[in-house]
Amino acid sequence: MTDLSASNVKFTSRLLEAYGLLIELTDEQNEVTVYRIVSEFQIDTGTYAVLQKDNGIPEDEVEILKIIDAADGKPELVTIDDDDEWEDVAELYDELTLPFED
């Protein structure tokens, strides 16, 4: 695990600016799901998006995806294939959103 820290996070809005608050993603079975952008941030390992299904259930789990630049220059979402990277980013997101405990 790397030493990611909330103090190194830079919040971004590339997805929001390019696509708006809601994003439609298509899975391997060609099923479309609408997600709401919860957060976008950049750290040393890349830029990430936190998405949540836009179904009105605030307790639904979030999805964390990596933002890369497509050939046309627009932001594109990809799955984080590296388990360590995914865990580091998920823990960092938890640190950013969970109340601080002494």
Side-chain angles (χ1 to χ4, degrees), residues 6 9 27-28 38 41 43-44 53 63 67 71-72 77 80 83 90 99-100:
V9 170
D27 64 16
E28 293 86 17
V38 175
F41 58 91
I43 52 176
D44 293 341
K53 287 183 183 176
E63 301 287 334
I67 303 171
D72 62 4
L77 293 168
I80 302 171
D83 291 339
F100 181 74

Side-chain angles (χ1 to χ4, degrees), residues 41-88:
F41 58 91
Q42 182 177 355
I43 52 176
D44 293 341
T45 57
T47 305
Y48 302 90
V50 180
L51 308 176
Q52 189 173 43
K53 287 183 183 176
D54 188 49
N55 58 10
I57 303 173
E59 298 83 27
D60 266 2
E61 290 185 22
V62 296
E63 301 287 334
I64 300 174
L65 301 170
K66 192 167 194 170
I67 303 171
I68 62 168
D69 290 325
D72 62 4
K74 288 189 175 182
E76 182 176 302
L77 293 168
V78 295
T79 303
I80 302 171
D81 293 327
D82 181 278
D83 291 339
D84 290 334
E85 178 183 7
W86 187 92
E87 179 137 342
D88 288 345

Side-chain angles (χ1 to χ4, degrees), residues 14 20 29-30 36 54 59 66 72 76 92 95-96:
R14 289 189 61 217
Q29 291 78 31
N30 282 334
R36 179 177 48 84
D54 188 49
E59 298 83 27
K66 192 167 194 170
D72 62 4
E76 182 176 302
L92 178 61
E95 182 182 332
L96 292 170

